[in-house]
Amino acid sequence: MPRGLYVYNSLSRQKEIFEPLNAPFVGMYVCGPTVYGDAHLGHARPAVTFDVIYRYLIHLGYRVRYVRNITDVGHLEHDADEGEDKIGKKAKLEQVEPMEIAQLYTDRYHADMERLNVCKPNIEPRASGHIIEQIEMTQQLIQKGYAYEVNGSVYFDVEKYNQLYRYGILSGRVLDELEAGAGNERRQLKQQTEKKNPHDFALWKKANPEHIMQWQSPWGKGFPGWHIECSAMSAKYLGERFDIHGGGMDLLFPHHECEIAQSNACFGKIPAKYWLHNNMVTINGQKMGKSLGNFITLRQFFSGKHPLLEQPYSPMTIRFFILQSHYRSTLDFSNEALKAASKGYKRLMNGLKYIKSLSFSAPESVSPQEKHLLEIEEAIRQFYQAMNDDFNTAVAIAALFQMLKKINQLFVGQIQPSLLGEDGFNKLKNYFITFTEDILGLLEEKPMYPEKAIQLAVQHYAEAKQAKNYAKVDEIRAHFKEMGLVLRDMKDRIEWAYDEN
RNA sequence: GGUCUUGUGGCCGAGAGGCUAGGCAGAGCUCUGCAAAAGCUUCCACAGCGGUUCGAAUCCGCUCAAGACCUCCA
């Protein structure tokens, strides 16, 4: 299909043609969750975004190795001096093993992602399973003179690195200016650390005796620093240089900046060729995040149990909602927007369900009109063009609705399949299904009753209708409504569909 | 204080110098026991003020507003 995929590279701040280092292979690393709480809408965004990128690359014929990590150690709660990590803190509160917490939330994350129809990554490495790799990388950095040990902790020497390379290449920061505007409080805090320089970041942290998560290292007992896991694990599974590194925009600095510094100092190359960052989900115009406490978990969306939610929103509604905006724009949460997404999604699914049930037939009397074929091909072109333009799913979905229009015209019998011609019909059907299901990952959320039971009820409805027993008819309609379904009386038949309200 | 981004119709959300985005909502028509759905038609825009241009929502400047990062965060 159409070649020429362009992606926005945060490193160059512009769109670049996507050319893998070793086509047809593509290595993609995306920063996954820290598993100490349930995933919220903000976690769904990168998961869905990079899921579609993954699916599209595969669709284009690339052989993708997708690595998404699980952070189950190492992220510090306040600042490095406190030396308490998030997983450990929660575990102490709940009197369980830290790994139990990590396991629990990993499982819950997996379940949530499955409901969102997010593909599993090919490799999902855990930080705790790669302590050795992280220690080795830290040792190498010490050997090369880019890291130093103080009291059982090891820090990356940003000043030293910046002499040869440029710290800030990704985020556009200049080292000398970094500290300039920092408030007094922060400056005082930073001066108390054992770091040579406030910008230096931990590769390895010494653990206090009461600290539960700790491992033996050449520098005593401790745990890995904030950023080293991604450098160590991406290098292990994708090589020292790979194609795509993704994550949320809030990770751009310092996380990804530090990753680049570490990996570059260690291996002499910037780890990824393309750096892709999704924008934030906002709520009342503000970033949805853990620290602000203004987040709504995915489970709360699915159940509707949150004060801000007027109703539950299904996983596919959430997915569709995310895909309706471009991944580099902020996406504002509101009940109105979600409800609109829900309706749009269901309309799309009704079309999908119908076109799947339809096959081409051509009575001799009707001959195809080229106009239809051209319109179908135009929509297909628009879809690819949109996806090739930095994965513009919003425009891609607009193309899908163009195709839906044709499907609905078939549905109400305004046009016949034969009018599209066999080629036109097959293109409409096959591309619509491929685009919707395979690339965008939007699936029907099937009713909880088997198709056969529903067909039986449809029959009863038809009979009541025939007998003009309108009381019965209305009763059956009400039952369908309860199931989230509706009945549609067509001229020549009766169909059931998903209720769009 | 620094770096950066954004401001589009009732709501959400694309686009990016001249050509319909799209979804949801609203109005009308067709269809219908009543519906529902769909189709067709239709209303409603580019924060403000200047400038560049034959032409600006799109480029430049200023003003106002909102937000992100500089600390763990997707």
Side-chain angles (χ1 to χ4, degrees):
Chain A
M1 259 296 126
R3 277 286 152 158
L5 168 63
Y6 284 79
V7 302
Y8 182 88
N9 191 350
S10 301
L11 200 55
S12 64
R13 290 150 198 265
Q14 57 190 16
K15 283 181 196 168
E16 296 176 12
I17 183 126
F18 179 70
E19 284 168 342
L21 298 163
N22 302 298
F25 301 99
V26 173
M28 177 160 106
Y29 187 96
V30 175
C31 290
T34 304
V35 283
Y36 66 108
D38 276 330
H40 58 73
L41 188 56
H43 294 98
R45 174 100 114 142
V48 169
T49 296
F50 289 101
D51 183 55
V52 170
I53 290 174
Y54 174 60
R55 287 165 178 271
Y56 189 59
L57 290 173
I58 288 172
H59 175 80
L60 291 180
Y62 292 114
R63 293 183 57 188
V64 188
R65 181 181 292 163
Y66 178 20
V67 180
R68 189 186 63 205
N69 65 302
I70 293 278
T71 299
D72 55 357
V73 289
H75 278 218
L76 303 182
E77 183 68 18
H78 292 299
D79 65 304
D81 304 314
E82 297 296 327
E84 182 168 39
D85 91 31
K86 275 184 177 168
I87 307 280
K89 188 176 182 190
K90 183 109 185 184
K92 275 185 263 183
L93 285 172
E94 299 185 3
Q95 295 296 308
V96 287
E97 272 297 314
M99 270 304 155
E100 207 175 332
I101 295 286
Q103 186 68 56
L104 173 71
Y105 288 114
T106 302
D107 289 347
R108 287 169 75 91
Y109 180 75
H110 285 157
D112 291 345
M113 290 307 115
E114 198 180 327
R115 295 194 70 184
L116 288 172
N117 196 28
V118 166
C119 292
K120 287 181 188 168
N122 302 102
I123 300 174
E124 191 172 49
R126 291 160 168 259
S128 64
H130 298 77
I131 301 295
I132 291 170
E133 287 83 352
Q134 295 176 74
I135 289 174
E136 277 173 1
M137 192 163 169
T138 302
Q139 283 178 308
Q140 281 189 53
L141 285 167
I142 293 175
Q143 275 165 26
K144 297 192 177 188
Y146 288 105
Y148 55 90
E149 188 212 331
V150 184
N151 298 327
S153 293
V154 181
Y155 296 98
F156 186 85
D157 192 335
V158 172
E159 201 80 51
K160 174 79 188 292
Y161 174 81
N162 200 48
Q163 285 166 13
L164 257 175
Y165 306 99
R166 192 182 143 216
Y167 183 78
I169 189 172
L170 181 67
S171 57
R173 275 159 227 274
V174 179
L175 190 54
D176 297 335
E177 292 173 359
L178 262 176
E179 199 67 359
N184 284 332
E185 290 172 29
R186 188 183 306 152
R187 193 166 302 173
Q188 279 167 10
L189 267 175
K190 294 219 162 163
Q191 278 166 358
Q192 293 164 5
T193 84
E194 50 199 16
K195 298 173 189 175
K196 278 197 217 167
N197 187 300
H199 317 300
D200 293 352
F201 52 90
L203 297 169
W204 186 263
K205 279 298 289 181
K206 178 186 180 169
N208 299 321
E210 69 273 16
H211 201 97
I212 337 182
M213 282 199 136
Q214 47 178 282
W215 289 266
Q216 193 56 251
S217 81
W219 317 284
K221 289 203 166 182
F223 54 93
W226 314 358
H227 315 294
I228 193 77
E229 64 174 278
C230 289
S231 289
M233 298 192 299
S234 64
K236 174 159 180 163
Y237 297 114
L238 297 173
E240 292 172 4
R241 190 154 161 79
F242 51 94
D243 298 291
I244 296 173
H245 191 125
M249 256 179 200
D250 49 354
L251 297 180
L252 207 136
F253 189 91
H255 184 57
H256 290 161
E257 195 71 65
C258 295
E259 260 187 79
I260 288 179
Q262 290 164 352
S263 295
N264 201 10
C266 194
F267 307 123
K269 43 195 103 159
I270 291 175
K273 185 174 178 187
Y274 304 98
W275 293 76
L276 311 191
H277 294 95
N278 63 274
N279 214 319
M280 301 294 103
V281 174
T282 58
I283 180 164
N284 295 322
Q286 249 199 344
K287 175 184 168 182
M288 183 181 284
K290 278 238 162 67
S291 50
L292 288 164
N294 60 355
F295 61 91
I296 304 175
T297 68
L298 292 170
R299 280 159 196 254
Q300 288 168 331
F301 274 105
F302 301 160
S303 69
K305 286 177 185 151
H306 187 282
L308 288 174
L309 297 178
E310 289 168 12
Q311 60 171 75
Y313 299 100
S314 74
M316 282 299 121
T317 295
I318 299 294
R319 186 174 176 108
F320 183 80
F321 175 64
I322 291 171
L323 260 20
Q324 249 191 328
S325 74
H326 183 83
Y327 76 95
R328 280 192 295 111
S329 302
T330 55
L331 174 61
D332 197 51
F333 156 85
S334 72
N335 280 285
E336 289 68 31
L338 255 334
K339 281 182 205 164
S342 171
K343 286 197 183 189
Y345 157 70
K346 282 179 181 162
R347 263 188 77 204
L348 214 52
M349 287 307 112
N350 279 329
L352 183 69
K353 175 166 111 52
Y354 181 67
I355 194 73
K356 275 181 167 177
S357 72
L358 209 58
S359 41
F360 184 74
S361 62
E364 321 72 59
S365 53
V366 193
S367 56
Q369 285 177 7
E370 203 186 12
K371 174 188 135 200
H372 294 293
L373 176 66
L374 292 179
E375 284 171 2
I376 290 163
E377 287 178 335
E378 175 56 30
I380 293 167
R381 197 176 310 120
Q382 194 194 335
F383 185 95
Y384 278 111
Q385 209 175 322
M387 290 303 288
N388 282 342
D389 184 13
D390 196 29
F391 312 104
N392 195 332
T393 53
V395 172
I397 285 174
L400 234 40
F401 275 97
Q402 294 305 315
M403 297 172 85
L404 178 67
K405 213 165 193 174
K406 280 269 178 277
I407 293 170
N408 283 333
Q409 284 173 349
L410 289 169
F411 178 72
V412 294
Q414 226 168 59
I415 57 172
Q416 306 304 320
S418 52
L419 264 185
L420 310 182
E422 187 159 15
D423 185 33
F425 178 85
N426 287 334
K427 273 183 173 155
L428 178 65
K429 179 171 179 172
N430 297 335
Y431 279 105
F432 189 79
I433 294 172
T434 301
F435 290 167
T436 308
E437 293 189 334
D438 298 346
I439 297 180
L440 297 181
L442 294 165
L443 300 178
E444 279 182 65
E445 287 173 329
K446 301 267 186 187
M448 43 203 295
Y449 302 90
E451 175 88 27
K452 269 200 174 158
I454 294 171
Q455 287 304 344
L456 199 68
V458 170
Q459 246 179 57
H460 283 299
Y461 176 80
E463 281 161 19
K465 195 102 203 201
Q466 190 80 32
K468 295 195 193 292
N469 182 355
Y470 294 123
K472 185 82 182 167
V473 165
D474 290 342
E475 191 191 322
I476 298 177
R477 275 186 190 159
H479 284 311
F480 268 74
K481 188 94 182 164
E482 273 172 42
M483 293 190 283
L485 306 176
V486 290
L487 284 149
R488 292 181 176 175
D489 297 357
M490 311 307 294
K491 277 201 177 111
D492 53 342
R493 65 195 194 281
I494 290 164
E495 301 242 6
W496 68 270
Y498 299 105
D499 185 6
E500 291 166 16
N501 284 301

